[in-house]
Amino acid sequence: MIVVLSGGVGAARFIEGLAAVVAPERIAAVVNTGDDMVLHGLYISPDLDIVTCTLADVIDRNQGWGIAGDTDACMQWLARLGAPTWFKLGDRDLALHIYRTARLQAGATLSQVADEIRQALGVAVSIIPMSDDPAPTHVLTDQGELHFEEYFVRERCQPVVHGVRLHAAGPVRPAPALLPLLMSAEVIIIAPSNPVVSVGPILAIPEVRTTLTTTNTPVVAVSPIVGGAAIKGPAVPLMKAVGLTPTALGVAETYADLIDGIVIDTIDAELAPAIQSRGIATLVTDTIMRGMPEKMALARATLELASLIAPSTARSLV
Amino acid sequence: MIVVLSGGVGAARFIEGLAAVVAPERIAAVVNTGDDMVLHGLYISPDLDIVTCTLADVIDRNQGWGIAGDTDACMQWLARLGAPTWFKLGDRDLALHIYRTARLQAGATLSQVADEIRQALGVAVSIIPMSDDPAPTHVLTDQGELHFEEYFVRERCQPVVHGVRLHAAGPVRPAPALLPLLMSAEVIIIAPSNPVVSVGPILAIPEVRTTLTTTNTPVVAVSPIVGGAAIKGPAVPLMKAVGLTPTALGVAETYADLIDGIVIDTIDAELAPAIQSRGIATLVTDTIMRGMPEKMALARATLELASLIAPSTARSLV
């Protein structure tokens, strides 16, 4: 399997390209659940839904999240009842949250529910939450400790961040399928997702980090930082807040003990020597995924980098 | 207060007329919760919603339940996910269930939530669930013991009924506000609702029955059976199944130890002497509530009957 450690929008787009380049049945997305929260009594899992709905081709392409053509009749009535409305939930979207919540209450695990939704929506890529345990990411700000979605959506990234607390609810065990998957992987890809709050929570699971630092399987990352900026989301302020440099070099340094290679954007070509000097194979290419051709090209480049690192794996990849 | 023991559609329409005849602030609806159920993890309270949404004038007038102009985007996606779809839930409608479920999970009582929704929707009539305890009504059928909504909606009243089990989850205490309300009432009206599964669960609360049999307050019923048929719903088979006669006379006999008077339809005028011979004052009038004039006329007739029974109360009623 080709395993992709995934956040939301960037990862979902990357995997779309990957699934057009290799058989989707050979791909497994391990998805961040640090953004998960309970709102209106409903269990909401933003990154699982973004990845699943993108691969099911039902995503709202303009937003990158939510379901295409969705309506907000329920939300309008929740507002009328005085419920909080800062987190928009479309009517179709709500079906995912209602279904997931009911199944969890009936005793299913998050892994099981993610797989049920994936199958129902006809997605061939395996989708695995990083953990079945609660693993909320908190952002430490000048307005106090906020859940990531409170910081990101409700406060629109306005508070000044001075730190991040991963796994804020206590120890987080890997999802049952996760370690076997990592150990049998042909290649492990760290998607172009926020290193702090998207990939960070996955890597903060002790068994995941240990596996990645000791595996012989090639581990390659795709930098989400291009020209010192994030394609989407608050990667820059969050990287700064935890002492990371918000550049492609900073991303490589963040993952230095885990990765064998990294794909960075053409605009950051000048950073390649510094990354390579740290023993990280570096592939420079266009990484902005405007449409399917760019997504597929990025996927191919990433697999090519992995095959350069582990030539014996190469022939089986594409 | 004018207290109305209420089921769903018939009661809601009756109270609409009543609230146009006396100040709505003087009316309290005590609503059956025997139909309540959890579906998709959501706490659904059909009669509370029908009464509240009718009085808020947001009800779907064609159906008698659900919210006018509602859509079914969420339900369509729940179906796509393989969730059961026999109980239709509109997108606006879902907001009530989501809000109620979240509030209950946060520790609020059903009484509190009913009042919050009532206020949010601008209803001046007090709305009180009969109990804050679970009180499911089960129907004993040739297909086994079914929740009332399974019998009524899912199985469309097709199974042969041989009995009804009220309060199937165990002892049911009156809602905190209920007994004080009954004891201070000027008049107690039993709405034109199903005697077995709508009014029955309210009267099956021991303290309610005791209060009604011992009170000096006039208690009057409006027959939901007209010409041997129910205006709406399965009153006839359910009355038969529990050994009651499905006529206006049968309704009077069902409530004989509780009521001082009953309003029956003109079409049933010939039954009046038999009812009166049982010591129950009987007012014969048109009871079919086609529009607001008929609703108001029925409310006036019911209050008139109550005032004939208790002349000292009469002057204060209208």
Side-chain angles (χ1 to χ4, degrees):
Chain A
M1 297 290 275
I2 299 169
V3 178
V4 186
L5 308 188
S6 307
V9 179
R13 291 179 177 166
F14 177 81
I15 299 168
E16 264 195 304
L18 192 61
V21 168
V22 301
E25 293 77 9
R26 285 180 56 205
I27 306 169
V30 174
V31 182
N32 168 46
T33 58
D35 300 1
D36 292 14
M37 63 177 167
V38 174
L39 197 62
H40 312 294
L42 300 173
Y43 187 99
I44 297 171
S45 193
D47 284 351
L48 276 174
D49 283 353
I50 288 169
V51 170
T52 307
C53 290
T54 300
L55 296 176
D57 200 20
V58 296
I59 201 80
D60 182 322
R61 296 273 168 196
N62 293 328
Q63 294 181 142
W65 51 269
I67 296 179
D70 214 345
T71 47
D72 66 348
C74 187
M75 203 74 211
Q76 286 188 25
W77 276 67
L78 280 169
R80 193 163 173 170
L81 296 173
T85 57
W86 58 269
F87 198 86
K88 301 298 175 206
L89 298 167
D91 297 322
R92 295 173 175 183
D93 192 22
L94 271 164
L96 303 183
H97 313 313
I98 291 171
Y99 178 83
R100 181 186 295 115
T101 306
R103 292 287 297 128
L104 291 173
Q105 282 173 4
T109 64
L110 188 61
S111 292
Q112 290 169 332
V113 183
D115 196 57
E116 290 169 5
I117 295 176
R118 171 191 76 75
Q119 285 191 46
L121 297 184
V123 174
V125 170
S126 296
I127 296 176
I128 297 160
M130 66 184 205
S131 177
D132 291 339
D133 297 331
T137 296
H138 286 188
V139 182
L140 313 176
T141 79
D142 59 348
Q143 295 177 26
E145 185 167 335
L146 304 175
H147 184 282
F148 172 73
E149 294 293 349
E150 292 175 331
Y151 162 76
F152 181 50
V153 178
R154 195 185 69 197
E155 305 299 334
R156 298 160 196 268
C157 306
Q158 290 308 302
V160 177
V161 182
H162 54 79
V164 169
R165 194 150 77 95
L166 303 176
H167 302 188
V172 172
R173 295 164 298 177
L178 181 45
L179 296 186
L181 182 68
L182 290 176
M183 297 208 270
S184 65
E186 301 164 77
V187 55
I188 298 168
I189 299 172
I190 299 180
S193 298
N194 187 316
V196 181
V197 294
S198 296
V199 181
I202 305 175
L203 299 179
I205 300 173
E207 295 89 337
V208 173
R209 177 166 287 275
T210 302
T211 304
L212 262 64
T213 50
T214 56
T215 185
N216 289 321
T217 304
V219 180
V220 294
V222 180
S223 174
I225 303 289
V226 173
I231 304 302
K232 195 173 170 74
V236 169
L238 290 173
M239 288 184 76
K240 282 184 180 167
V242 298
L244 302 175
T245 309
T247 64
L249 174 57
V251 172
E253 288 172 336
T254 304
Y255 298 144
D257 57 335
L258 306 173
I259 59 174
D260 305 298
I262 188 167
V263 179
I264 67 171
D265 195 80
T266 313
I267 206 173
D268 295 316
E270 59 180 348
L271 300 173
I275 298 174
Q276 283 165 327
S277 74
R278 283 162 177 78
I280 300 169
T282 307
L283 191 149
V284 179
T285 188
D286 291 336
T287 65
I288 309 291
M289 297 178 281
R290 289 190 180 81
M292 189 52 89
E294 292 89 345
K295 290 174 193 169
M296 291 170 68
L298 182 58
R300 281 204 193 89
T302 307
L303 293 177
E304 185 188 316
L305 176 61
S307 62
L308 291 172
I309 291 160
S312 65
T313 313
R315 283 178 295 276
S316 70
L317 283 177
V318 184
Chain B
M1 298 289 276
I2 299 168
V3 178
V4 185
L5 308 189
S6 306
V9 179
R13 290 178 176 166
F14 177 79
I15 299 168
E16 263 195 304
L18 192 61
V21 167
V22 300
E25 293 77 8
R26 284 180 57 205
I27 305 169
V30 174
V31 181
N32 168 46
T33 59
D35 300 1
D36 292 14
M37 63 177 167
V38 174
L39 197 62
H40 313 295
L42 300 173
Y43 187 100
I44 296 171
S45 194
D47 284 351
L48 275 174
D49 283 352
I50 289 169
V51 169
T52 307
C53 289
T54 300
L55 296 176
D57 200 18
V58 296
I59 200 83
D60 182 322
R61 296 274 168 194
N62 292 328
Q63 296 180 141
W65 51 269
I67 296 177
D70 213 346
T71 47
D72 65 349
C74 187
M75 203 74 212
Q76 286 188 25
W77 276 66
L78 280 170
R80 195 164 172 168
L81 296 174
T85 57
W86 57 269
F87 198 87
K88 301 297 176 207
L89 298 166
D91 297 322
R92 295 174 176 181
D93 192 22
L94 272 164
L96 303 183
H97 313 313
I98 291 171
Y99 177 84
R100 180 185 297 115
T101 306
R103 291 287 297 129
L104 291 173
Q105 281 172 5
T109 64
L110 188 61
S111 292
Q112 289 169 331
V113 182
D115 196 57
E116 290 168 5
I117 294 176
R118 171 192 76 75
Q119 284 190 47
L121 297 184
V123 174
V125 170
S126 296
I127 296 176
I128 297 160
M130 68 185 204
S131 177
D132 290 339
D133 296 332
T137 295
H138 286 190
V139 182
L140 313 177
T141 79
D142 59 349
Q143 295 179 25
E145 184 167 336
L146 304 175
H147 184 283
F148 173 71
E149 295 292 349
E150 292 175 331
Y151 162 75
F152 181 50
V153 178
R154 195 185 69 195
E155 305 300 333
R156 297 162 195 268
C157 306
Q158 291 307 303
V160 177
V161 182
H162 53 81
V164 169
R165 194 151 76 95
L166 303 176
H167 302 189
V172 172
R173 296 164 297 179
L178 181 45
L179 295 185
L181 182 69
L182 290 176
M183 297 209 270
S184 65
E186 301 164 76
V187 55
I188 298 168
I189 299 171
I190 299 179
S193 297
N194 187 314
V196 182
V197 294
S198 296
V199 180
I202 306 174
L203 299 179
I205 300 173
E207 297 89 336
V208 172
R209 177 164 287 275
T210 302
T211 304
L212 262 64
T213 50
T214 55
T215 184
N216 289 321
T217 304
V219 181
V220 294
V222 180
S223 175
I225 304 289
V226 173
I231 304 303
K232 194 175 171 72
V236 168
L238 289 173
M239 287 184 76
K240 281 183 180 167
V242 299
L244 302 175
T245 309
T247 63
L249 174 57
V251 173
E253 287 171 337
T254 305
Y255 298 144
D257 58 335
L258 306 173
I259 59 174
D260 304 297
I262 188 167
V263 179
I264 67 172
D265 195 80
T266 313
I267 205 173
D268 294 317
E270 58 181 349
L271 300 174
I275 299 174
Q276 283 165 327
S277 73
R278 283 161 177 77
I280 300 169
T282 307
L283 190 150
V284 179
T285 188
D286 292 335
T287 65
I288 310 291
M289 296 178 282
R290 288 190 181 80
M292 190 52 89
E294 291 89 345
K295 291 174 193 169
M296 291 171 68
L298 182 58
R300 281 204 194 90
T302 308
L303 293 178
E304 185 187 317
L305 176 61
S307 63
L308 290 172
I309 291 159
S312 66
T313 314
R315 280 178 297 277
S316 70
L317 283 178
V318 184

